[in-house]
Amino acid sequence: KNQVEQSPQSLIILEGKNCTLQCNYTVSPFSNLRWYKQDTGRGPVSLTIMTFSENTKSNGRYTATLDADTKQSSLHITASQLSDSASYICVVSADGNDYKLSFGAGTTVTVRA
Amino acid sequence: DAGITQSPRHKVTETGTPVTLRCHQTENHRYMYWYRQDPGHGLRLIHYSYGVKDTDKGEVSDGYSVSRSKTEDFLLTLESATSSQTSVYFCAISEILAGGPFETDTQYFGPGTRLTVL
């Protein structure tokens, strides 16, 4: 069973609207959590990284939150743009194994004009 | 794509043939990785390298081998390709952070290689 579960699997939103993606994980002991954006036909690109002591981090219109107690994270996209259409991947690393990551299957976001 | 190139970008081959994919980096990063990405699955680690000639297996290493003779190059070989190895393969690199709260920096990914095994 995957140790990182993401929801929803996909969503469609109108340009200018906000959306929130969810990530639940069971990886333990926890070291850090990252969100990646993957455009179609490209490799993933890092958006944010949070350690257990951080509960929010922003990168432009992207804001990630982390609740290490409930093992949940969310990625909020504000004022979506057509270029936000991509797959968003939640990635968790276990303490002491930062180079071995657990990847979620991703949420595919489609932004429509 | 952070100074990472993969070749070829697309390949179609037949079952039973050997295939080698190449990853080349210009960042001089110590760690290099090979992943495969399949629909409905997260990226899965095949093999990784923590230095020249130092490699280790990931979670889906069966049927794959790797070699790293230079810092900048990491080769993935499918010894005898099977249809189940049809996938998109990504190379990634990372570096150790000195004094950071975690051991390695963010992994940076290459553009991917789409492999089809008929």
Side-chain angles (χ1 to χ4, degrees), chain B residues 81-102:
Chain B
T82 67
S83 58
S84 64
Q85 293 177 311
T86 291
S87 186
V88 181
Y89 291 85
F90 287 98
C91 174
I93 64 174
S94 68
E95 187 51 269
I96 295 174
L97 284 179
F102 40 88

Side-chain angles (χ1 to χ4, degrees), chain B residues 16-76:
Chain B
T17 60
V19 176
T20 295
L21 308 183
R22 179 179 183 241
C23 176
H24 179 78
Q25 61 146 328
T26 57
E27 307 295 324
N28 201 37
H29 280 12
R30 176 176 174 179
Y31 285 85
M32 297 185 76
Y33 313 79
W34 277 108
Y35 292 93
R36 60 178 290 172
Q37 187 176 42
D38 303 291
H41 289 87
L43 284 150
R44 292 181 289 176
L45 183 65
I46 304 171
H47 282 279
Y48 68 99
S49 169
Y50 47 95
V52 173
K53 299 187 178 176
D54 292 323
T55 66
D56 204 352
K57 295 179 179 180
E59 62 180 299
V60 291
S61 60
D62 287 347
Y64 302 95
S65 63
V66 290
S67 65
R68 191 170 179 197
S69 58
K70 301 185 286 185
T71 299
E72 57 267 34
D73 289 326
F74 193 32
L75 303 181
L76 175 71

Side-chain angles (χ1 to χ4, degrees), chain A residues 31-32 34 36 38 41-44 46 49 51 89 96 98-101 103-105, chain B residues 1 9 31 33 35 37 40-43 48 90 102-107 109-111:
Chain A
S31 176
N32 59 69
R34 310 161 199 231
Y36 279 82
Q38 185 176 19
R42 304 288 298 273
S46 179
I49 178 170
T51 62
I89 303 171
D98 201 64
Y99 50 87
K100 289 187 179 180
L101 308 178
F103 291 79
Chain B
D1 293 315
R9 293 293 313 280
Y31 285 85
Y33 313 79
Y35 292 93
Q37 187 176 42
H41 289 87
L43 284 150
Y48 68 99
F90 287 98
F102 40 88
E103 293 182 5
T104 64
D105 197 0
T106 296
Q107 291 189 16
F109 287 83

